[in-house]
Structures are given as structure tokens and as C-alpha cells.
Amino acid sequence: MSQRRWQGSGSKYTLSWGNQPWTLELEADRPGMRSVDRPADCVLALDGVAAVSRFDPAALTGKSLVRVERLAHRVEATYTASRWGGLEVRASWSPTSRHDGIDLEIQVSASSVGELRGLETFVFSQITDPGASTGEPHWIWVRPRDSRSAGFSYDGRVPAVDLRRLTTLPLLDSIAPGLSQVAALGPGRDSGGRYLEMVHPHDVARRIFWGQSQPDLAIAGQLHIRYGLFGHDLEKGVIIRARIRGLWISGRDIAVLTPVALRDFLETPPPLGP
């Protein structure tokens, strides 16, 4: 990991990742990782917050950035969402010690009582396929964690125009998580690499996909996904955390390395400390 260090200062950093140059832009409309060579590719990016009857895609942008710290291998940014009950979101991006990955850790807290019900903090990732058609309308597919989060799409936080093209998928077995519950796979690149993204099934209330058909996450082509993290009622004095990992894996190693990387991710304990 000593060769994978952030370069830069302030609100913009760079890193070589997956044999490609990437920037971490903390004052962007979607703060997160963006490919220098393919600007449309943006991963592990903050994408707003939602609660019952409320959705604000612009809550976590450069306008709400209040603090940035670079701590060893980690870049940490803190955002305060205006008119959201004192909601504070701390996001940190750090290279993983194994494989070619980056961990995004999200911590949220609030100063309000009884205001933030079913709070979701969104993370967005998009890896484009240059050969994919973009002319057809995209359907929205929602994979909920449980029965309560399945209802989030219909409690007023999703615009009516999106509900007309939204399908809620059946619940999966939460006792023995499978590949489709924890991983999303992007299209191949010219270099032969593929992007693999993982989240703990208990950390995410909804995974939302855009596409023409029901997603098969094990063989997905173009990746366009939003994670609704947490989905819990947030009260003053409570701190909750979640973690998402993105990896670049060579095409020849995808079948062998993917199960190993998934196991490493699920078995790695969350970081300690504030």
C-alpha cells in the first residue's frame, strides 16, 4: 500500500487505481472518485440524503463541506446537511491493504430528536460501457434489505415520475448472504480490468439500479447503482457507520479472486474510534 498514496491537498486529491488516474473531488456535486480518462465514470460518490417524505440530492456537496483532513492513507471530509436536523456526514476514502481497492467509510450523526425517520445516506457509482445504447429509457430496480426498507420507495421520498418506472424486487435470504446481495460488477475495460463493488448487506437499506432489465449483479455490464445506506431512525447522540469497497480486478482473475475479495471484505471488522 506504500505505493498507493494520495497526492494533492485541500479538497482535491489524485491516486493511481486500477492502472488508471483518478481524482477525489470533495467539492463536486457528487463528492467522490472520478476517472481522469473517462469523466463519466464516477464511483464511491456521495449522492444526497433521504428520509420519510424527503429527498435532497444536493445535501452533500461542496456547499455543505465543512472540514477536510488527510490522515495517513485516509482522506476524510465532513459535510453538514442544511435543514436536516443537524445531520453531519463524515466520509473517508482510503486504499485497502490487500487487492487494488478503496474503502469508503460513512459515519452519520444528528442533533435532532424524532426528525430523521428512515434516514438514508446515498452513495452513487457509475461505470459506463462505451458500446451500450443510451437512447432507451432506463427502468429503476430496487433491491430492499427488509420489508421496512421495501416501503421506502413509496413513503414520499421518491418522485412520482420515478415511481412510474420503478420495480421493487423480492427480498433475499439475509441469513446466508449470496453474491447478488453484497456485490455489483461493472463492465470490462480496454486494460482487461473489471470493477467490483461490495457492501455489507446490513449496512444498506436499498440498492437502486438503472437498466433495461432486472439486474444480474454477477454478470452485469454497465453499472449504474445508488446505495441507500442505513435506513434507520437517527436520534441525537447516536452514531452509525457503514462501509463500501471498490476493487479493480483483472479479467483473468475475476472468477478466482472475487470470492476471496468478498470474504476478506465481510470478515474485516469496522474501524474503531471516532
Side-chain angles (χ1 to χ4, degrees):
M1 189 165 71
S2 60
Q3 297 179 354
R4 302 179 59 226
R5 294 180 179 272
W6 298 106
Q7 303 295 323
S9 62
S11 62
K12 188 172 182 178
Y13 297 83
T14 61
L15 185 75
S16 178
W17 182 32
N19 297 317
Q20 308 162 59
W22 290 77
T23 61
L24 173 59
E25 301 180 16
L26 302 176
E27 289 188 316
D29 290 340
R30 279 176 169 157
M33 302 296 298
R34 187 172 297 277
S35 171
V36 173
D37 297 334
R38 297 186 180 185
D41 289 358
C42 176
V43 302
L44 302 177
L46 304 181
D47 199 27
V49 296
V52 175
S53 300
R54 302 176 67 186
F55 171 48
D56 185 355
L60 307 176
T61 66
K63 294 180 180 180
S64 58
L65 178 65
V66 295
R67 185 170 60 253
V68 177
E69 294 184 86
R70 181 176 172 181
L71 307 169
H73 300 287
R74 183 176 66 189
V75 173
E76 183 178 287
T78 302
Y79 299 83
T80 57
S82 177
R83 299 184 296 277
W84 277 84
L87 176 65
E88 181 176 279
V89 177
R90 192 183 74 184
S92 63
W93 293 260
S94 57
T96 58
S97 58
R98 295 189 62 191
H99 313 303
D100 193 7
I102 290 179
D103 277 352
L104 168 60
E105 298 166 5
I106 303 289
Q107 173 182 296
V108 299
S109 60
S111 59
S112 58
V113 176
E115 182 175 343
L116 300 178
R117 293 181 294 129
L119 177 75
E120 291 179 293
T121 301
F122 290 114
V123 171
F124 174 82
S125 288
Q126 175 176 279
I127 298 292
T128 58
D129 183 349
S133 172
T134 58
E136 300 179 15
H138 285 172
W139 298 103
I140 301 173
W141 307 87
V142 178
R143 176 72 74 185
R145 175 180 59 207
D146 49 32
S147 57
R148 185 192 184 197
S149 58
F152 287 168
S153 298
Y154 312 99
D155 68 1
R157 71 185 71 197
V158 176
V161 65
D162 287 344
L163 288 177
R164 297 187 183 100
R165 55 196 181 107
L166 183 148
T167 299
T168 298
L169 299 170
L171 299 181
L172 293 174
D173 184 1
S174 61
I175 298 176
L179 178 64
S180 63
Q181 286 178 274
V182 298
L185 187 63
R189 301 296 284 271
D190 297 339
S191 61
R194 297 192 71 176
Y195 180 69
L196 177 69
E197 203 162 67
M198 296 166 283
V199 62
H200 196 286
H202 298 308
D203 286 348
V204 59
R206 295 184 300 156
R207 289 183 300 159
I208 305 165
F209 308 87
W210 286 258
Q212 299 305 313
S213 59
Q214 180 174 329
D216 184 339
L217 303 188
I219 60 173
Q222 184 161 261
L223 179 65
H224 191 145
I225 183 172
R226 176 186 283 156
Y227 301 88
L229 299 177
F230 309 120
H232 306 301
D233 299 343
L234 185 62
E235 301 289 352
K236 182 178 180 180
V238 176
I239 296 175
I240 50 179
R241 299 182 177 95
R243 178 167 49 97
I244 298 177
R245 176 171 295 175
L247 297 174
W248 282 99
I249 299 177
S250 68
R252 65 179 180 274
D253 294 332
I254 192 71
V256 175
L257 188 54
T258 295
V260 176
L262 288 171
R263 184 173 64 250
D264 287 349
F265 174 74
L266 292 174
E267 293 179 353
T268 300
L272 301 176

